[in-house]
Amino acid sequence: MNMFNKKDSSTETEAPRPAPESPARRETSAGSRAVIGSSIHVDGTLRGNEDLVIEGKVNGTVELKKNSVTIGAQGEVNADVYAHTIFVDGTMEGNLVAAERIVIRKSAKIRGSITAPRVSLEDGARFNGTIDMDPESEVLSKAFSRQADKQRPTPPTPTANGSGKAETKAAGSSAA
Amino acid sequence: MSAGAALDQPLGSPLCLRAPVFADLIGGLDEGQRHVILDLGPARSGLIERLNVLRCRLDVLDLTRHLSHLIQLQSDDDERAQQAILAKSLPSGRPEPLQIVLCWDLLDYLPLAVTARLLTLLRERLAPAARLHALVEYASPHMPISPRRIGPNLEGNLLVEATAPELGPAPRHSVGTLASHLPGFRAERSMLLGNGMQEYLFRFSAANV
């Protein structure tokens, strides 16, 4: 059976609301989300197991394959983003890959590729690139196959705040 | 509905138009097969919703944003500039042959020489028997001065909305005129729509080049 079945995925996913401007913070309760605030600039790889809202600048790779990633209206992302669900309000250049769904809002400006079994785009959004809605696409299979995850090295223990939930590997963070 | 009725539509009030050629083109796509479509206009919600039920890759190359620049590029010397626009705008990554090219009303706004050049540049990306769909203002000598916002709804009809109140002259291309400026394409179907626009479908064959 296809793991990215469009017909089984009719439930709407509620987008997490972007947080008010704040520095990066992390909530530790179940179902929490991390926020990269508008003054934060991250270069590197972000991995973890909680939802993420990006209002700052991120360059590199974002891998939250079981969670949602929201690029807020102030967010500027130049990265490849892998997540369960992705919402875009801000500016994005790179590849967006979601196991479930990608939602592009009208304020979004995107250049790159979008890969997800379900994609929605509000009129007014600026997009140039490729939208791959094929649930059997190679990109989806590679990104979310269990085999691929097994081959990936285990991420080191988180050190940022001791929550034990998410890892942030920033190869040089600076305030924007 | 009278010819050119769409021209009387107030801004922000889309006209719902039955477009049988477009409906057949998209409706005829096999749900089990992968399809690759190139959209030469801005990304639009209705098209993406319509294609979401298919195994589909949609490449969006919004040439309407480059329109004023493209119009100036008519001489042979401008070929490199056109190539640069395409190279910059065409989706990167693994190339897959394009099966459908959607022009909407873009060809009404491009000089024929520019259209010919662009299609020549796209030719190597086309699948055998690729289709090109276009809408042209036909019944009225006037059309909005900038491309309309056109996209399908889930019923397969087209929603047509003017983006500017001002009108300019319409080139009123015949199917033959357009075919002669689309290298490798032959006219396959045409249909006069309820608002006076013509819907054209062309089919590509490398043997026609």
Side-chain angles (χ1 to χ4, degrees), chain A residues 60-149:
Chain A
T61 305
V62 178
E63 287 190 15
L64 299 169
K65 293 184 178 178
K66 294 177 180 169
N67 299 86
S68 77
V69 171
T70 300
I71 300 170
Q74 298 177 75
E76 289 179 32
V77 175
N78 194 331
D80 294 336
V81 180
Y82 301 87
H84 179 267
T85 310
I86 301 172
F87 302 90
V88 186
D89 288 278
T91 304
M92 163 77 205
E93 180 155 353
N95 302 311
L96 295 169
V97 184
E100 169 70 23
R101 187 176 184 211
I102 296 177
V103 178
I104 311 298
R105 303 223 170 88
K106 63 182 173 189
S107 57
K109 293 176 189 167
I110 301 178
R111 185 174 162 79
S113 75
I114 290 174
T115 306
R118 296 174 68 219
V119 175
S120 63
L121 175 142
E122 290 180 5
D123 284 331
R126 282 173 61 176
F127 175 78
N128 235 43
T130 293
I131 301 173
D132 198 328
M133 296 171 270
D134 183 354
E136 294 171 37
S137 81
E138 258 181 58
V139 175
L140 270 183
S141 304
K142 277 186 189 168
F144 292 99
S145 70
R146 287 182 182 176
Q147 189 61 35
D149 281 343

Side-chain angles (χ1 to χ4, degrees), chain A residues 6 111 119 126 129 131, chain B residues 52 54 56 58 60 65 88:
Chain A
K6 294 182 182 199
R111 185 174 162 79
V119 175
R126 282 173 61 176
I131 301 173
Chain B
N52 245 321
L54 300 168
C56 185
L58 175 68
V60 179
R65 291 185 58 211
K88 190 177 147 201

